[in-house]
Amino acid sequence: MDKYKHFLAANVLNENRIVNYRTLSRALKVHANLAKQMLYDFHQRENAKKVGSVHATYLIAGISKADTTAHVNGVSSSNETGSFMQSSPFPSSAPEPEEVEEQIVTTTVMLAKEEGLEDAKNQFEEIRSIHIYSLAPSPIKDFEVLATCNEDVDKAYASEDPLQTLHVYGVIKNPNVKRRARRGPPPPNAAAAQPIAKPAVKPSTTAKDAASKEESSKAKDETESKPAKQKEDESTKRSAAKPAAPKREKSDLFKSFANAKTKTKTEASAPKPQEPKEPEDEPMKDVSEDEPEEDFDPMASKQASDEARKQRDQRAAQLAEMMDQEDEPMEDAPSPGVEEQEEEQEAPALEKSPEKQEPEKREAGVSVTNGRRRGKRKVMKRKTIKDEEGYMVTREEPVWESFSEDEPEPKKPRAPIVATPSTTKGRKGGPKGQGNIMSFFSKK
Amino acid sequence: MTVLENASFLLQAPGDDCPSLERTRSSYNPLRTFELPKGGQKHYQQQYADMYFVRLAQLKPAVERIAEEAWDDFEIAGEKARRVDRVLDVRQGELCWVVGTVYMDMPLKPNILDDLEKEHWIVAPPPREKFISNGQDSIMLEDESGRLRLAGTFLTSRMLVTGCIVAVMGTENADGEFEVIDSRLPDLARQPERWERDEAALALAGRKVKGERQPAGKIALVSGLEIGGKDASESLQLELLKEFLLGEASSPDEQTRVAGISRLIIAGNSLANASPIPSREEFAAMKKASRKYGYDPSMYNASPSEHLDAFLGGLLPSIPVTLLPGASDPANVALPQQALHPALFPQSRSYTKLPTEVSDEPAWFDSVTNPWEGDVDGWRLLGTGGQPVDDVFKYVHSDNRLDMMESILRWRLNAPTAPDTLWSYPFQDGDPHVIKDCPHVYFVGNQPRFETRVIEGTAAQQVRLIALPKFCETGVLVLLHAETLAIECVKFEIFRKHEQA
């Protein structure tokens, strides 16, 4: 329970850092409200020992005096300036000033320094909550430095899965959250941040600081679970590595490079599945800590890397498919440069009729015949005609029009086969599609 | 100053562990009214005239119905007001009424020739706040057949802008001007019932319409974060906003209230200077710079968008977000602005839908169009990043943004001044800016100050108007109670009195 004292003493007193409740709650893995109380306790104790050794900022929430008065004025004045009348008579929309005294509650959340706390409190009509926001060894000159605390928190704990850990810190849980598995490369700034083995506040840690923190995290490890005692450094490493389940920046960084490599390869070569013959990829996979459990088993890691490659191939195929879909409008006009793919592409290209985007579609009598939907639907169409006097008249008229469109299903299995050549074709042949943009910029 | 009982709960030694809270569910069903066709389906060769024709065709029946009701037995000196089909059919001295599109002829409106002229000036005059000039403006009423100049003192008391569809009654005077006695607007459109669309979808799916619903929470609305605008000074305010919404800041009592916030809607201008079209001066300066192909870090600063991404990425695990682009965001400039691309959000995009995904399930992080409409907790919401209201502001004498918002709803035109002075996609077969369903809540981002009002229509429609201020200037977050449509504000401030210079 006393580890917060160690942490705060080390960071605030020794290292001259600013610590806010979020830093503390994440470092010690405690609820934010508990962290606020810890900051208060520490502040009391230290200042009792020596006055002015720790300076606090407070976060006050409540009803501000200024708001209650200013707001009433705001409402009435806005009604007075409403000099415009509407062209239709509106029974109740043009309210008399005294009618709309809609009292709007404004909660003010104010950050104030210890020195200005009493003045800040006097701004309030009613204080609903007050707590210490941050502690610093000296009075804060500029509030903006406080923002860096949160930036550091974001950087240091970027590897944690927020859905798993955030409620520990008192963030409101949301059971309905929808997130898809991450497939893209990690964010660049997260990748730039070093994977942190200990709950560090800042990436740059001195040896002394690190020691104190190692101690704290070790202590925690022992309290929450009682594992067989392992080597010291490994146990600390594990405890830090555990919450970071799905994404680890370091591994992802390597993986993204590996991805890019295989992707270009699958595009360049034939569409058949790749033989596992890239030796330069293997050590990278081993280094990456994607599956921490299997790291020490060479067989398992090979299996895992094979599996990962299969996934990558799949992903490349999906990507190619996606590109194919974007390419489709181009396929309507058969280009001269393509020969081998003609047979494959001709059929879908002819079948496709550019579907018009119409508002208010109402479908009726849809029939599905050999993979295509046909039918009639009601469409509101703009019709501009000349009347008997020669004037233009625009009307919206409901029109029944027949339509047919491809079923999306039967296309899918074929897509990857067509897709890969089509991307290579664009690169090699170059009579259509995008050429090299550099040629545009070269001097002529 | 009163201090509530539990306020100092956190000013004591660490106690027991605190319970974790659970956020209220948000029912969310967006509409795709303003999504443009993708890629090759999008054309820019069309004439803008079609937009006006379609608009008139769509709104004329509604105006005619209202005008007929009002002026059916209107008589002056024994003469009955007669309905005239075309503006050119108006005969001199005959009492009649006619429907058409308003066109404001204002010499101070932007003119392409002025733009060219600018190059020959040493110092160009600053852009105008309003287009109004005394005595030189004239109001016309037009349809496909021709134009009619409107006159009379009656019009000066009415808010009119280019593009809105009105019915006017009066006579043509000797100067060939139409002397207006009265006018009518389309007024509020039909308002759907609460939960109407969700229930219809359930009924279509063959399932039983849900009788019991959990009480809805609050919807948080914010606009004008303007990240990367001035300096780092806003970032602390933004952090406070994030901590507040996550339920980390303040006391357990307050946190319980925050848990009732079920969704955050950001109404435009999340980034400060990311608009893709540089001003003329910037463009000239850019040309002088070295022409280098490829990534040039001096030309592009990634940190604002990274900052926004981190902000959203921090919020998304706990609260769903709907993001509208605004005038200064990196989206297309012409309305409707299309959704901000997920590539801008490397961290947050795992909460979006895949571009290939075709399911109708809305995304947790929904990057949407501006304007946008959709059903949240059963209510129909319509919102913009603020451009239409800002543009209407230039046409009228009033400074009251709520009046303008009310007029926009009563004109049934989300962006009346597009495509005249507001850039717009050239729609052909139907103008999506025509408001088909009257919303329950109409919010407009990036307005000078927070204002709200409830307006009512003739068919018992009730609309809550909300003008959202810029967060970066005011620190205001607006909370909308989804059960009562009542409003609450949260203001984030930093007490700087004791700050050393």
Side-chain angles (χ1 to χ4, degrees):
Chain A
M1 204 56 211
D2 280 351
K3 60 197 169 193
Y4 69 90
K5 288 175 196 157
H6 293 286
F7 179 87
L8 289 172
N11 279 284
V12 179
L13 297 179
N14 295 349
E15 298 291 326
N16 285 340
R17 290 218 183 93
I18 301 169
V19 172
N20 72 4
Y21 68 92
R22 295 184 89 214
T23 329
L24 186 65
S25 82
R26 272 148 185 83
L28 303 181
K29 306 251 176 297
V30 293
H31 196 284
N33 289 349
L34 217 54
K36 292 168 198 166
Q37 292 178 338
M38 289 171 178
L39 287 178
Y40 175 76
D41 191 48
F42 185 77
H43 181 250
Q44 291 297 103
R45 279 165 199 269
E46 289 303 316
N47 280 353
K49 275 188 229 163
K50 189 182 160 214
V51 176
S53 56
V54 179
H55 293 257
T57 54
Y58 289 84
L59 193 70
I60 314 164
I63 312 290
S64 166
K65 281 177 190 165
D67 271 327
T68 46
T69 51
H71 194 80
V72 173
N73 292 342
V75 166
S76 53
S77 71
S78 74
N79 278 326
E80 278 155 23
T81 51
S83 56
F84 271 86
M85 278 176 55
Q86 291 299 328
S87 2
S88 316
F90 301 119
S92 56
S93 69
E96 278 77 58
E98 63 272 8
E99 194 190 333
V100 181
E101 281 297 292
E102 191 188 351
Q103 202 65 54
I104 285 159
V105 181
T106 304
T107 313
T108 302
V109 178
M110 190 185 271
L111 193 62
K113 273 185 263 188
E114 195 176 347
E115 298 83 56
L117 182 63
E118 284 312 311
D119 285 345
K121 273 181 173 173
N122 284 330
Q123 308 265 312
F124 283 86
E125 186 85 29
E126 177 188 301
I127 293 177
R128 290 212 184 120
S129 107
I130 178 166
H131 67 81
I132 293 194
Y133 183 82
S134 71
L135 290 183
S138 53
I140 293 173
K141 287 212 174 64
D142 187 3
F143 271 111
E144 310 328 325
V145 291
L146 290 178
T148 57
C149 288
N150 279 352
E151 272 168 39
D152 293 338
V153 165
D154 287 347
K155 267 188 205 131
Y157 299 94
S159 59
E160 282 184 353
D161 180 12
L163 298 187
Q164 305 294 321
T165 55
L166 275 186
H167 63 273
V168 175
Y169 311 133
V171 170
I172 296 165
K173 245 194 297 192
N174 201 325
N176 305 302
V177 63
K178 272 183 291 182
R179 190 178 63 167
R180 56 190 160 84
R182 187 185 288 278
R183 300 202 302 182
N189 56 346
Q194 289 296 310
I196 286 151
K198 349 174 211 343
V201 188
K202 283 188 180 177
S204 61
T205 46
T206 56
K208 186 182 158 201
D209 184 24
S212 78
K213 253 179 272 147
E214 221 164 352
E215 211 175 83
S216 70
S217 66
K218 198 172 64 186
K220 183 176 186 270
D221 215 25
E222 280 165 9
T223 51
E224 76 180 9
S225 64
K226 300 167 197 99
K229 288 232 165 164
Q230 293 174 339
K231 280 177 213 161
E232 256 186 22
D233 47 345
E234 206 178 290
S235 78
T236 47
K237 198 178 160 192
R238 271 287 167 87
S239 73
K242 224 174 267 168
K247 44 175 178 138
R248 313 247 319 160
E249 317 94 334
K250 198 180 169 192
S251 62
D252 265 7
L253 181 65
F254 281 120
K255 210 164 124 196
S256 71
F257 281 127
N259 270 339
K261 207 173 284 169
T262 45
K263 202 170 67 197
T264 49
K265 266 182 191 154
T266 39
E267 275 173 13
S269 63
K272 64 191 165 194
Q274 289 251 317
E275 292 299 318
K277 50 162 185 182
E278 301 129 351
E280 75 270 34
D281 237 1
E282 301 275 351
M284 280 192 166
K285 282 307 291 181
D286 278 349
V287 167
S288 75
E289 302 160 328
D290 214 7
E291 290 89 12
E293 264 75 23
E294 292 158 359
D295 263 3
F296 310 103
D297 184 357
M299 266 315 285
S301 80
K302 193 171 180 339
Q303 216 170 16
S305 73
D306 277 354
E307 207 142 280
R309 177 165 305 121
K310 216 179 280 168
Q311 273 180 351
R312 263 181 280 138
D313 283 346
Q314 236 169 26
R315 200 187 136 208
Q318 271 174 343
L319 203 79
E321 187 187 331
M322 214 167 79
M323 286 169 124
D324 180 49
Q325 279 174 2
E326 277 163 19
D327 270 352
E328 264 166 18
M330 306 266 277
E331 284 174 7
D332 280 3
S335 67
V338 209
E339 272 107 30
E340 324 100 271
Q341 281 87 31
E342 288 265 61
E343 300 147 336
E344 282 173 11
Q345 289 184 354
E346 211 152 20
L350 286 179
E351 270 172 19
K352 205 162 295 149
S353 58
E355 196 63 42
K356 260 198 206 162
Q357 201 75 33
E358 298 286 2
E360 287 189 51
K361 285 173 200 158
R362 235 162 288 152
E363 295 179 5
V366 179
S367 64
V368 180
T369 47
N370 69 54
R372 290 201 294 161
R373 292 201 300 151
R374 295 167 193 277
K376 286 200 163 188
R377 65 179 162 207
K378 200 178 182 187
V379 173
M380 287 301 269
K381 272 214 161 171
R382 181 177 54 83
K383 210 172 167 189
T384 308
I385 47 164
K386 267 190 185 164
D387 64 4
E388 59 278 4
E389 289 167 64
Y391 289 120
M392 272 215 304
V393 178
T394 306
R395 278 207 187 85
E396 278 209 315
E397 286 177 356
V399 181
W400 286 95
E401 67 161 30
S402 62
F403 74 100
S404 68
E405 60 190 356
D406 289 302
E407 280 274 71
E409 280 80 22
K411 224 179 66 195
K412 282 234 160 120
R414 205 198 60 236
I417 311 166
V418 185
T420 324
S422 76
T423 49
T424 47
K425 158 192 77 192
R427 193 176 307 156
K428 254 190 269 166
K432 73 162 194 176
Q434 285 187 323
N436 189 352
I437 198 165
M438 284 302 276
S439 65
F440 178 79
F441 288 94
S442 65
K443 286 204 176 101
K444 277 158 193 158
Chain B
M1 178 181 74
T2 53
V3 180
L4 288 196
E5 209 178 309
N6 290 334
S8 310
F9 168 70
L10 294 169
L11 295 182
Q12 60 187 40
D16 300 330
D17 212 349
C18 309
S20 61
L21 297 160
E22 208 162 90
R23 199 176 283 281
T24 312
R25 189 176 170 276
S26 165
S27 158
Y28 182 64
N29 193 356
L31 281 160
R32 305 183 156 204
T33 322
F34 298 99
E35 269 177 33
L36 292 176
K38 292 263 189 304
Q41 301 274 319
K42 197 157 49 184
H43 301 291
Y44 286 91
Q45 291 92 352
Q46 308 93 314
Q47 292 293 319
Y48 279 110
D50 286 322
M51 261 179 92
Y52 288 113
F53 294 161
V54 171
R55 203 181 270 182
L56 188 61
Q58 281 180 312
L59 287 176
K60 204 171 180 176
V63 190
E64 276 175 349
R65 202 171 26 84
I66 287 177
E68 229 162 55
E69 250 170 54
W71 299 328
D72 194 28
D73 44 5
F74 188 88
E75 275 184 38
I76 288 182
E79 195 184 355
K80 270 191 116 181
R82 194 173 63 89
R83 190 195 140 180
V84 172
D85 264 340
R86 276 187 292 261
V87 297
L88 286 195
D89 290 345
V90 174
R91 298 282 165 264
Q92 221 171 63
E94 197 176 83
L95 183 68
C96 60
W97 62 271
V98 66
V99 178
T101 312
V102 171
Y103 175 75
M104 307 288 281
D105 193 17
M106 298 171 139
L108 295 184
K109 271 205 295 201
N111 186 338
I112 183 68
L113 293 177
D114 290 344
D115 243 21
L116 287 175
E117 227 174 283
K118 242 189 215 172
E119 293 194 340
H120 302 291
W121 287 339
I122 300 163
V123 182
R128 296 186 179 278
E129 204 189 17
K130 286 188 183 277
F131 303 142
I132 303 164
S133 59
N134 282 330
Q136 293 177 56
D137 301 336
S138 58
I139 305 171
M140 320 263 209
L141 190 75
E142 66 174 33
D143 62 9
E144 290 113 321
S145 68
R147 258 185 200 179
L148 194 64
R149 188 185 293 270
L150 301 184
T153 47
F154 178 82
L155 287 175
T156 53
S157 64
R158 293 290 179 271
M159 198 186 263
L160 286 174
V161 299
T162 294
C164 58
I165 312 288
V166 294
V168 290
M169 183 180 57
T171 51
E172 192 179 317
N173 62 17
D175 300 333
E177 288 174 334
F178 193 78
E179 205 75 49
V180 180
I181 306 170
D182 200 0
S183 69
R184 283 288 179 274
L185 303 179
D187 213 334
L188 299 186
R190 178 196 165 268
Q191 194 171 35
E193 294 285 309
R194 193 185 175 191
W195 297 113
E196 183 178 288
R197 209 158 66 87
D198 303 76
E199 272 165 6
L202 279 177
L204 268 181
R207 266 181 290 160
K208 232 188 85 198
V209 175
K210 248 196 283 176
E212 281 288 300
R213 279 199 172 81
Q214 282 178 349
K218 286 174 267 185
I219 304 160
L221 299 155
V222 73
S223 83
L225 302 177
E226 302 212 344
I227 294 170
K230 287 153 203 152
D231 46 287
S233 64
E234 277 97 38
S235 63
L236 185 59
Q237 233 176 10
L238 206 65
E239 290 300 329
L240 288 181
L241 172 66
K242 182 165 102 180
E243 289 166 27
F244 175 81
L245 286 173
L246 286 176
E248 285 186 277
S250 63
S251 66
D253 289 356
E254 289 288 297
Q255 285 160 357
T256 319
R257 291 147 62 103
V258 171
I261 300 175
S262 59
R263 170 169 296 274
L264 174 68
I265 297 177
I266 303 175
N269 291 18
S270 310
L271 297 169
N273 297 314
S275 179
I277 297 195
S279 72
R280 192 165 276 271
E281 292 74 30
E282 284 168 343
F283 194 71
M286 247 157 62
K287 266 192 170 169
K288 274 180 212 140
S290 65
R291 265 189 229 186
K292 207 171 91 186
Y293 175 68
Y295 178 76
D296 184 0
S298 67
M299 298 283 285
Y300 174 66
N301 179 8
S303 66
S305 69
E306 278 168 12
H307 196 151
L308 176 64
D309 183 33
F311 173 74
L312 293 170
L315 286 176
L316 283 165
S318 180
I319 183 168
V321 176
T322 301
L323 176 68
L324 276 73
S328 67
D329 283 325
N332 55 330
V333 175
L335 291 181
Q337 286 186 299
Q338 297 302 291
L340 290 178
H341 199 275
L344 281 162
F345 312 108
Q347 268 187 60
S348 334
R349 70 168 166 230
S350 54
Y351 298 91
T352 62
K353 274 200 292 193
L354 280 177
T356 46
E357 211 174 308
V358 281
S359 75
D360 280 337
E361 191 87 339
W364 187 255
F365 169 36
D366 202 12
S367 179
V368 297
T369 54
N370 166 32
W372 168 82
E373 62 176 346
D375 291 353
V376 183
D377 292 319
W379 304 108
R380 174 68 51 84
L381 266 63
L382 173 68
T384 70
Q387 296 100 315
V389 176
D390 291 344
D391 204 58
V392 167
F393 169 80
K394 295 174 182 169
Y395 281 84
V396 298
H397 289 277
S398 164
D399 282 343
N400 190 328
R401 301 286 173 141
L402 289 177
D403 282 353
M404 295 171 211
M405 289 167 66
E406 181 176 346
S407 298
I408 280 177
L409 290 182
R410 299 209 186 268
W411 291 326
R412 289 201 204 175
L413 277 173
N414 202 354
T417 54
D420 185 22
T421 46
L422 194 62
W423 295 355
S424 166
Y425 176 78
F427 289 103
Q428 283 291 286
D429 303 303
D431 184 354
H433 292 307
V434 172
I435 300 171
K436 293 207 176 65
D437 292 324
C438 179
H440 297 102
V441 179
Y442 178 46
F443 61 91
V444 170
N446 305 302
Q447 298 305 300
R449 62 172 182 275
F450 165 73
E451 283 171 295
T452 181
R453 183 196 289 172
V454 177
I455 61 165
E456 281 175 31
T458 45
Q461 302 103 320
Q462 279 207 339
V463 190
R464 161 71 72 182
L465 310 179
I466 307 171
L468 296 168
K470 290 187 177 182
F471 181 80
C472 68
E473 286 167 9
T474 58
V476 168
L477 170 80
V478 176
L479 301 179
L480 173 74
H481 289 258
E483 284 300 332
T484 57
L485 297 187
I487 295 282
E488 192 185 316
C489 281
V490 182
K491 198 167 179 185
F492 296 89
E493 269 179 52
I494 292 161
F495 189 69
R496 293 180 186 273
K497 206 173 160 194
H498 283 249
E499 198 161 43
Q500 281 118 5

